[in-house]
Amino acid sequence: MTRTILRGGHVVTVDAADTEHADGTVAIEDGRIIAVGDAAPAGWDDAEIVDASGCLITPGLINTHHHLYQWLTRGWAQDAILFDWLVALYPTWARIDADLVRSGAAAAMAVLARSGCTLVGDHHYVFPQGGGDIIGGIVEAASEVGVRLHATRGSMDLGRSQGGLPPDFAVETTDAILEASIQAVSRYHDPSPDARVQVALAPCSPFSVTGELLRESAALARDLGVRLHTHGAETVEEEAFCRERFGMGPTDYLEGLGWLGRDVWMAHCVHLDERDIAKFAATGTGVAHCPSSNGRLAAGMAPIADLLRAGAPVGLGVDGAASNESGQLATEIRQAVLMGRLRSGADRMSGRDALRIATMGGARVLGRDADLGSLEPGKLADIAVWRIDGVEHAGIADPVAALTLGAQPPLSLLLVGGEAVVRDGELVKSDSRAIARRGADAARTLAARA
Ligand code: ZN
């Protein structure tokens, strides 16, 4: 039996009552939280004590949308909107393989872990012929860094010759995608409550997949008992594509193919009207909010405050590093506050609202809210301990504002299932310098192939 007590920090539980403990403790036994409060449980004299004075203690942050392979193409097409950016990058992405993706994914996940992220959602949709077991490479990289992974078997089957956006050489056949989806789930999906790896199915977007693939993927996922993910309502160009091709907006189109429901989450959802928002709320369809990427690609400002008020599940996402070179998750909390206020007003998105999106919101979006997302007895010990007594934050009136409005605080400790993954800002299980070198080598190799 392993017991640990985090002691002396400002604990933000993100429970239903928004409980905080100014000088609090979190008691952990065998990877789960046993008690949270103002004092350690009686009889825990054998526990390892972690002094968290000068620190803010929050649930580990949950990333609900990413494309880890894009670590290899940061800094490309810097001034393009989504469709032009995709067209510029597809030919290069079509030359990836499992080894390159593993190297890029390890670097992206190292940066995520160092920014407080304990659960990484990834959306991988580029599978070149002969590229090897790419999902397997991503699973290995997550294990190397020590974070939980929600991988998705993504897909594209609507090439340019059929009226889609991607070039024909970057897409697969519908049948091959469905077969590979079954394989990925049977190899890597773990349905247990403390799972380190889960798998979902994720056709890429309305403009890169057929309606048949969307319908078949939804049926298959429900048959296999896994979740569904895609991009939705990201840009005005996507809206125009759907109206011209299907005679309706993306939300109505996806609804008609079985793509609204408690087991579905969609990235972006920037261009939703009131009717769309009501549908997301009524069906429990989740949203992955990616404010930096939406800014980088000038996609627009998502109506997050309206979605929250309607009761829709909303999580936070970094999105791929080719449209958000930062790759950090904690900084997205501040971006969500700023963008939420620009869209809806200063009183509609507090720092604590954004922290809730980044923790409990993400857990709900990914179907893990029974075990993750808050610091409560019985939950898995996925915990971030932020140092806020340095020059950037010392003396701030509200310790929570240090994280939600201030500079990203140094990470004193990051626990996944009670195990240390980051300590004093550095990875514990692997060497971030070696990961950086491998990532840079892989980016050079890919650029040389393009
Ligand atoms: Zn995306």
Side-chain angles (χ1 to χ4, degrees), residues 65-67 70 82 85 123 125 204 229-231 234 267-268 290 293 297 318-320 323:
H65 185 67
H66 210 301
H67 311 285
Q70 289 182 12
L82 177 70
W85 174 87
H123 183 181
Y125 55 85
C204 188
H229 182 47
T230 192
H231 295 94
E234 182 174 359
H268 305 304
C290 306
S293 172
L297 297 169
V318 167
D319 205 358
S323 66

Side-chain angles (χ1 to χ4, degrees), residues 93-104:
W93 292 344
R95 288 173 168 79
I96 58 172
D97 60 35
D99 283 344
L100 294 182
V101 171
R102 184 191 158 145
S103 297

Side-chain angles (χ1 to χ4, degrees), residues 141-189:
S143 166
E144 182 184 357
V145 174
V147 291
R148 292 184 206 278
L149 174 69
H150 277 220
T152 63
R153 208 304 175 176
S155 48
M156 300 192 290
D157 71 341
L158 187 67
R160 197 164 301 151
S161 65
Q162 305 301 313
L165 190 71
D168 287 359
F169 60 77
V171 305
E172 304 170 273
T173 67
T174 314
D175 287 345
I177 289 164
L178 295 169
E179 182 52 41
S181 300
I182 294 170
Q183 278 184 26
V185 171
S186 77
R187 264 190 215 163
Y188 300 115
H189 181 69

